[in-house]
Amino acid sequence: MTRVVIAPDSFKGTASAADAAAALAAGWRAVRPGDDLVERPMADGGEGTLDAFASAVPGARRMPVTVRGPLSDPVDTWWLLLPDGTGVVELAATSGITLLDPLAPLDAHTAGFGEAIAAALDAGVDRLLLALGGSSSTDGGTAALAVLGAHFLDESGDPIPLGGGALGALASVDLHRLRPLPPGGAVILGDVTNPLLGPLGAAAVFGPQKGADAATVAELDASLARLAGLVPAGLRPLADEPGAGAAGGTGFGLLAWGARMGGGAALVAEAVGLPDAIAGADLVITGEGRFDGQSEAGKAPTIVAGLARDAGVPSALVAGAITAEPRGFAASVALADLAGSGAAAMAEPLRWLEAAGAQLARTPA
């Protein structure tokens, strides 16, 4: 009997990690019904991180909260209180790109993320895990920090409007009235290692995904540079830190608050018991919506494959589209190839995830 661990991330906008794992398992089971399948849905700090923790940590409590969404419309969401007093807050659930249609690259903001953080602080959490990823905005986290007490003012001394486009009018930054971190501090669960600025920065790499054309990318990068130049001098080097560009520069804002950077997928993997599940397995299947050049920068499939490799277990990759060489995987399947096109795969993701599971079961790695 073959033991297979199935640990995908979400297929953003089409299938949750739990649904993806269940579909892959169903496809495998249709071909090899006697095998032992272990489902461990994953996340890397982006969409689905709350769900991964909620399913993995006994006694975790969902804490409902209503916040301002990316364009200030009310969003009913939740943060997670763990039994040890840790609060987990997910940006994708408060200020995420899936909450917007159409996209608004200059106007979207992170105020709702700040409001969920404030709710966790008000509840007296001992520590914060702040999941970044799936952001709709490029505001450097300024709206979130403003909710927490920071002041971002124009030349007249008035607060600038929300959104990355307003940062061009920024004249002064006052962080002295920020709420203090909880006693155990705050850890950023980031899924990328990009700096804040430049060709590998928040605007250049992630702006186009949020609806920014070339001129808007240049405007947003200049605005983020303005922000970085106006924070206290001792904080300016944080713009170059790996992960400062996460979630439209929210990584930079949180670092300036005093949070520290952590590996999102690695921490989630530990929380869901993935290393123990992999020990003794014959195959590990992981995946995400799109496997590309960013995937090797700490995203879930790469972390899962690394854990499998450390345990001497082969791994297979399933993704909606594969546009980079899937190094380190014994097998790979692109849903777009199975379905005939990316659009067809996205229209019926669970059907094609089942098909991928069945294909891997016929030719196991």
Side-chain angles (χ1 to χ4, degrees):
M1 181 173 64
T2 300
R3 185 165 185 266
V4 183
V5 175
I6 302 175
D9 197 352
S10 64
F11 283 58
K12 189 175 296 183
T14 60
S16 69
D19 287 344
L24 287 165
W28 184 285
R29 197 172 286 116
V31 176
R32 298 170 61 103
D35 287 346
D36 179 20
L37 305 184
V38 179
E39 297 173 34
R40 288 289 187 273
M42 271 291 293
D44 54 19
E47 180 185 3
T49 298
L50 284 179
D51 287 329
F53 273 96
S55 64
V57 181
R61 293 168 52 201
R62 297 178 182 235
M63 309 294 286
V65 63
T66 299
V67 302
R68 282 176 286 172
L71 291 179
S72 297
D73 294 331
V75 171
D76 293 326
T77 185
W78 51 283
W79 58 277
L80 194 68
L81 179 61
L82 304 185
D84 66 357
T86 297
V88 188
V89 185
E90 180 187 297
L91 184 144
T94 59
S95 309
I97 195 167
T98 59
L99 301 174
L100 272 189
D101 185 17
L103 301 175
L106 293 173
D107 297 325
H109 59 73
T110 54
F113 184 50
E115 288 167 348
I117 293 171
L121 292 174
D122 290 344
V125 296
D126 295 322
R127 182 175 71 131
L128 282 169
L129 298 179
L130 303 173
L132 301 191
S135 167
S136 62
S137 62
T138 310
D139 73 348
T142 51
L145 293 188
V147 170
L148 297 172
H151 290 263
F152 301 95
L153 308 177
D154 61 21
E155 289 186 354
S156 300
D158 297 319
I160 61 170
L162 301 178
L167 292 176
L170 187 63
S172 67
V173 175
D174 180 2
L175 304 180
H176 291 98
R177 285 170 280 187
L178 273 170
R179 295 183 64 164
L181 295 169
V187 178
I188 300 166
L189 306 184
D191 61 356
V192 300
T193 57
N194 301 70
L196 180 65
L197 306 172
L200 297 178
V205 174
F206 306 112
Q209 301 171 6
K210 302 170 187 180
D213 58 19
T216 304
V217 164
E219 178 183 349
L220 288 169
D221 189 62
S223 294
L224 291 173
R226 187 173 185 86
L227 169 65
L230 288 171
V231 299
L235 300 178
R236 291 171 193 169
L238 294 175
D240 296 324
E241 287 291 309
T250 302
F252 173 74
L254 294 176
L255 289 170
W257 184 31
R260 63 182 180 85
M261 193 64 65
L267 287 173
V268 174
E270 192 65 36
V272 303
L274 189 57
D276 290 340
I278 288 174
D282 298 293
L283 176 68
V284 176
I285 301 175
T286 186
E288 63 180 345
R290 182 181 181 85
F291 187 87
D292 56 22
Q294 299 173 26
S295 297
E296 293 187 352
K299 292 205 168 190
T302 302
I303 296 297
V304 174
L307 290 172
R309 184 171 56 252
D310 292 344
V313 179
S315 60
L317 171 71
V318 176
I322 299 175
T323 61
E325 181 66 27
R327 295 190 293 264
F329 294 98
S332 61
V333 180
L335 303 188
D337 294 341
L338 291 179
S341 70
M346 292 181 70
E348 297 181 282
L350 299 184
R351 171 190 173 185
W352 297 110
L353 280 161
E354 283 195 32
Q359 178 169 312
L360 288 172
R362 295 186 189 99
T363 55

